[in-house]
Amino acid sequence: MLRLITGIRGASGFGSASTAEEVTHGVDAAALTVIITGGASGIGLETTRVLALRKAHVIVAARNMEAANEAKQRILNENRTARIDILKLDLSSLKSVKAFADNFLALNLPLNILINNAGIMFCPFQLSEDGIEMQFATNHLGHFYLTNLLLDKMKETAKSTGIEGRIVNLSSVAHLVCPSEGIRFHNINDKNSYQDKVAYGQSKLANLLHANELSRRLQEEGANITVNSVHPGLIMTNLMRHSAFLMRILRVFTCLLWKNVPQGAATTCYVALHPSLKGVTGKYFSDCNEYKPSKLARDEVLARNLWDFSNNLINASQKIIDK
């Protein structure tokens, strides 16, 4: 907590006050192609801007295409050499996730980095079009499916180029606020027991478990791809639109704990690009330094159960779509 408040730098040489530009200074990403979900607003937009500044080719996966094109133009006005493309993606829809993956693969581009950044937070109870609780569907399941659909392309790119692939899942310290069992496999869609903050914490725990299990599987394969999770910090963005009034009150009493957007994007950019993290996988980062997540987040059995559960949800939804 003291390190967060004071901005004292950790072992990485960076800390809570570091910005995305600072942690990527001197990095040449010209050879890299990156997909970032939700890269048109909030810390996703800053991540897009800084990755493009470091010369990466950035594919922004966005639900609102008009807003995404406006964001792209703002970046181009500042950086005329930025390489940014936009493809439509609604993570709450497995059909949309599949269409996005198909559209990207049809471009025949390499894929070095996947940043699973987009998300929703503290929203009222709602089911996705696939009949799955909306925070779990958007924050975890959509990213789980997207990653699986793009994984072969990432393996192929890493093998043909010799450049390590990196997958970054945006989790949160909110993974601590989850059901006692971690993931409610048997009543994931139960409206009566729904609590918006607990459901959000569950989805963020799922992001961590997904990253850890995928990291384990890729290590077993010997694939040249790392998978890590990050907590960006407390940042006032559109993510908090369902609880903006509450968060503004909270911010008055916890003002020293909050970051601005450039600071909020720093850990993502650090884990995605920094050369010191070559070969580092299955870890959790906050303030650009490695931290130990909760006991549940480190539960290998829970991670494997979530993997199977997620695949079963996707398979069941695909059968309905195919009918």
Side-chain angles (χ1 to χ4, degrees), residues 29-30 52 58 72 80 101 129 144 158-159 167 174 178 223 266 274:
V58 184
K72 174 183 175 179
R80 293 184 180 180
E129 69 177 43
F144 177 86
K159 187 174 182 179
I167 298 171
C178 66
H274 205 276

Side-chain angles (χ1 to χ4, degrees), residues 20-311:
E21 282 198 32
E22 180 187 353
V23 303
T24 59
H25 179 73
V27 175
D28 184 354
L32 304 179
T33 301
V34 183
I35 288 177
I36 175 170
T37 65
S41 63
I43 62 173
L45 174 57
E46 176 67 0
T47 302
T48 298
R49 185 188 73 81
V50 172
L51 292 175
L53 184 66
R54 303 305 176 219
K55 302 180 182 178
H57 181 190
V58 184
I59 312 296
V60 174
R63 184 173 55 181
N64 185 330
M65 295 295 283
E66 182 179 353
N69 277 301
E70 289 175 0
K72 174 183 175 179
Q73 191 56 52
R74 287 201 300 273
I75 293 174
L76 287 171
N77 289 342
E78 175 188 315
N79 176 12
R80 293 184 180 180
T81 64
R83 292 183 294 158
I84 300 173
D85 289 302
I86 298 167
L87 290 176
K88 186 172 180 59
L89 172 64
D90 179 355
L91 283 161
S92 71
S93 163
L94 295 177
K95 184 177 180 180
S96 176
V97 174
K98 180 64 165 63
F100 171 89
D102 287 346
N103 289 335
F104 172 75
L105 294 173
L107 297 175
N108 199 29
L109 291 170
L111 180 57
N112 305 95
I113 299 172
L114 171 62
I115 301 177
N116 291 319
N117 164 83
I120 56 174
M121 181 180 181
F122 300 169
C123 59
F125 180 83
Q126 183 182 353
L127 296 180
S128 71
E129 69 177 43
D130 302 296
I132 301 160
E133 188 276 308
M134 188 63 81
Q135 292 193 86
F136 189 83
T138 303
N139 297 349
H140 165 65
L141 196 64
H143 282 128
F144 177 86
Y145 189 36
L146 176 67
T147 303
N148 283 354
L149 291 172
L150 298 175
L151 202 53
D152 283 344
K153 171 57 74 172
M154 292 198 71
K155 292 177 184 176
E156 175 190 311
T157 301
K159 187 174 182 179
S160 63
T161 63
I163 300 172
E164 176 184 83
R166 295 188 182 185
I167 298 171
V168 183
N169 278 5
L170 265 75
S171 181
S172 170
V173 71
H175 79 274
L176 296 167
V177 184
C178 66
S180 58
E181 65 272 38
I183 307 293
R184 290 175 173 164
F185 294 117
H186 301 297
N187 60 347
I188 199 80
N189 295 331
D190 184 22
K191 183 177 181 179
N192 294 327
S193 63
Y194 181 78
Q195 296 174 284
D196 56 2
K197 294 169 185 61
V198 174
Y200 178 72
Q202 174 179 246
S203 71
K204 294 290 99 180
L205 174 63
N207 293 148
L208 261 161
L209 292 169
H210 169 220
N212 292 347
E213 177 62 11
L214 179 56
S215 172
R216 184 189 69 78
R217 289 170 179 250
L218 291 173
Q219 283 182 291
E220 281 190 354
E221 287 182 34
N224 188 23
I225 301 173
T226 64
V227 194
N228 293 293
S229 305
V230 305
H231 165 55
L234 286 171
I235 308 105
M236 188 63 75
T237 68
N238 288 337
L239 180 65
M240 296 182 177
R241 60 187 175 276
H242 293 291
S243 55
F245 180 70
L246 173 64
M247 287 301 164
R248 287 192 182 98
I249 294 175
L250 177 64
R251 190 173 183 178
V252 171
F253 297 99
T254 59
C255 58
L256 295 178
L257 302 180
W258 290 71
K259 296 181 178 183
N260 58 38
V261 170
Q263 292 168 341
T267 304
T268 301
C269 290
Y270 172 73
V271 175
L273 288 187
H274 205 276
S276 70
L277 294 187
K278 181 175 174 59
V280 176
T281 189
K283 305 299 182 183
Y284 173 64
F285 291 85
S286 178
D287 300 333
C288 301
N289 285 275
E290 184 184 333
Y291 282 82
K292 182 182 288 187
S294 70
K295 184 177 180 180
L296 284 169
R298 292 177 278 121
D299 188 324
E300 294 182 1
V301 174
L302 184 61
R304 289 169 186 160
N305 288 341
L306 175 64
W307 187 279
D308 293 339
F309 178 72
S310 302
N311 273 326

